Amino acid sequence: MPQIEIDNGSGFCFGVTTAIRKAEEELAKGTKLYCLGDIVHNGMECERLRNMGLITINHEELKQLRNAKVLLRAHGEPPETYELAERNNIEIIDATCPVVLQLQRRINRQYAANSDAQIVIFGKPGHAEVLGLVGQTRNHAIVIASFDDVKKLDMNRDIFLYSQTTKSLDEFQRIIEYIKENISQDADFKSFDTICRQVANRMPNIITFANRHDLVLFVCGRKSSNGKVLFNECRRVNPNSHLIESADEIDPEWLKGVSSVGICGATSTPKWLMEKCRDAILLTNK
């Protein structure tokens, strides 16, 4: 029987925990509650809340709603969503993460102060958080997905650089250094470290954790941006790492000859799901 350790540093971040708590409180009152988009990028947790009565809708469906109650998840939303809610008499339960909310306000103020500058967001195009950030600039912000995209910026114009809260600190720093080296002396450049430390600080912990096990099971929804970053780091230090969404995906072959198994996850991974994976391994080895 292999030794199994669940990483104490894994699991929901503050923003996700708050959003789920707010949803549970409303549902416990018997409220009919809609959520704009998946409340968390984890299919199993979304299913648990769906069974409690949470109804997930998209933006097109939101337009058809009237006199309803809608929860906004931790990722945040652009101003247009709030304007639509007011027109349609929709009560908003706002669970936007405080870190994201602060970032939205900073970008909004920067755009109001200098709308001619290039406001650049290092983030995943189309990601819910990024859409909310871009919305603060009336969709004028430039999104760069990776270091390679930095070359499409105009180095003769002012650049104000921000980051999606869950991106890699190392890659963000590379982007900053490139702009510093290449921007015109006549242009202004400012960068703002807006990466959430609850996420960034998990990186060194996950490296240590992955290093001390023969096998690592990284439990995560495949939509999770944060999960992809952390899993890639796991696999870099321990090639015997596997990304799984549920206990059903555990291959018994992985456990052969293994003396220790580490189970960890993303900021969108519930603790109960990691425990379920542990229990599945224990049952397999009975």
Side-chain angles (χ1 to χ4, degrees), residues 155-268:
M155 294 297 163
N156 294 310
R157 291 173 57 212
D158 294 350
I159 296 175
F160 296 96
L161 176 68
Y162 299 85
S163 174
Q164 180 181 341
T165 58
T166 54
K167 294 296 281 183
S168 160
L169 264 173
D170 290 342
E171 193 169 10
F172 187 58
Q173 195 58 47
R174 283 182 69 207
I175 291 167
I176 291 170
E177 292 307 317
Y178 179 90
I179 296 173
K180 281 181 177 176
E181 290 168 9
N182 290 276
I183 194 162
S184 165
Q185 291 183 347
D186 298 325
D188 192 13
F189 170 55
K190 289 181 183 174
S191 62
F192 305 91
D193 181 354
T194 53
I195 292 172
C196 177
R197 288 306 184 267
Q198 268 218 338
V199 175
N201 291 344
R202 293 191 182 194
M203 196 67 80
N205 175 69
I206 213 93
I207 290 169
T208 304
F209 183 81
N211 259 322
R212 68 170 176 259
H213 292 289
D214 299 330
L215 168 68
V216 174
L217 298 179
F218 191 91
V219 188
C220 172
R222 289 185 170 86
K223 290 181 183 177
S224 170
S225 295
N226 154 252
K228 286 172 187 170
V229 172
L230 290 173
F231 172 65
N232 286 337
E233 201 60 26
C234 267
R235 192 167 51 184
R236 184 182 67 78
V237 299
N238 185 339
N240 197 22
S241 298
H242 300 272
L243 190 149
I244 59 172
E245 285 197 301
S246 69
D248 297 338
E249 294 181 17
I250 299 172
D251 187 340
E253 290 293 316
W254 297 342
L255 302 168
K256 289 184 177 176
V258 164
S259 59
S260 72
V261 178
I263 300 174
C264 52
T267 55
S268 54

Side-chain angles (χ1 to χ4, degrees), residues 265-286:
T267 55
S268 54
T269 305
K271 274 277 167 63
W272 65 261
L273 187 52
M274 290 184 279
E275 290 167 354
K276 204 167 179 181
C277 292
R278 175 201 60 200
D279 295 345
I281 295 171
L282 293 173
L283 279 172
T284 302
N285 285 273
K286 267 191 174 181

Side-chain angles (χ1 to χ4, degrees), residues 2-273:
Q3 293 292 315
I4 305 171
E5 180 187 9
I6 295 176
D7 177 31
N8 285 328
S10 292
F12 290 153
C13 64
F14 170 79
V16 172
T17 300
T18 302
I20 288 172
R21 177 179 52 78
K22 285 187 175 185
E24 289 173 334
E25 286 172 356
E26 290 295 327
L27 293 168
K29 298 175 192 172
T31 306
K32 186 172 187 179
L33 183 65
Y34 297 89
C35 181
L36 186 55
D38 290 338
I39 192 168
V40 62
H41 286 153
N42 186 280
M44 303 286 283
E45 181 66 7
C46 287
E47 184 179 353
R48 183 184 76 84
L49 290 165
R50 186 162 54 249
N51 290 336
M52 290 178 66
L54 187 65
I55 304 164
T56 302
I57 58 171
N58 58 33
H59 285 83
E60 284 304 310
E61 290 167 322
L62 178 70
K63 292 174 184 176
Q64 310 307 317
L65 276 186
R66 301 288 188 282
N67 312 309
K69 191 175 281 194
V70 176
L71 183 138
L72 303 185
R73 56 200 176 159
H75 299 92
E77 283 291 320
E80 303 87 79
T81 299
Y82 295 87
E83 292 162 9
L84 173 66
E86 191 171 351
R87 287 197 304 271
N88 289 2
N89 196 34
I90 291 170
E91 181 182 346
I92 292 291
I93 308 296
D94 200 339
T96 303
C97 170
V99 178
V100 174
L101 195 57
Q102 183 182 36
L103 174 54
Q104 287 184 347
R105 288 169 179 162
R106 288 177 73 175
I107 290 175
N108 186 284
R109 286 196 298 267
Q110 183 65 65
Y111 179 72
N114 188 351
S115 59
D116 292 329
Q118 295 173 98
I119 294 180
V120 181
I121 298 165
F122 171 45
K124 181 181 178 184
H127 187 280
E129 181 189 326
V130 174
L131 292 175
L133 300 178
V134 172
Q136 306 305 315
T137 68
R138 298 183 186 172
N139 299 322
H140 288 151
I142 301 165
V143 179
I144 57 173
S146 67
F147 173 77
D148 292 336
D149 290 341
V150 75
K151 293 164 189 173
K152 69 184 182 185
L153 301 179
D154 184 348
M155 294 297 163
N156 294 310
R157 291 173 57 212
D158 294 350
I159 296 175
F160 296 96
L161 176 68
Y162 299 85
S163 174
Q164 180 181 341
T165 58
T166 54
K167 294 296 281 183
S168 160
L169 264 173
D170 290 342
E171 193 169 10
F172 187 58
Q173 195 58 47
R174 283 182 69 207
I175 291 167
I176 291 170
E177 292 307 317
Y178 179 90
I179 296 173
K180 281 181 177 176
E181 290 168 9
N182 290 276
I183 194 162
S184 165
Q185 291 183 347
D186 298 325
D188 192 13
F189 170 55
K190 289 181 183 174
S191 62
F192 305 91
D193 181 354
T194 53
I195 292 172
C196 177
R197 288 306 184 267
Q198 268 218 338
V199 175
N201 291 344
R202 293 191 182 194
M203 196 67 80
N205 175 69
I206 213 93
I207 290 169
T208 304
F209 183 81
N211 259 322
R212 68 170 176 259
H213 292 289
D214 299 330
L215 168 68
V216 174
L217 298 179
F218 191 91
V219 188
C220 172
R222 289 185 170 86
K223 290 181 183 177
S224 170
S225 295
N226 154 252
K228 286 172 187 170
V229 172
L230 290 173
F231 172 65
N232 286 337
E233 201 60 26
C234 267
R235 192 167 51 184
R236 184 182 67 78
V237 299
N238 185 339
N240 197 22
S241 298
H242 300 272
L243 190 149
I244 59 172
E245 285 197 301
S246 69
D248 297 338
E249 294 181 17
I250 299 172
D251 187 340
E253 290 293 316
W254 297 342
L255 302 168
K256 289 184 177 176
V258 164
S259 59
S260 72
V261 178
I263 300 174
C264 52
T267 55
S268 54
T269 305
K271 274 277 167 63
W272 65 261
L273 187 52

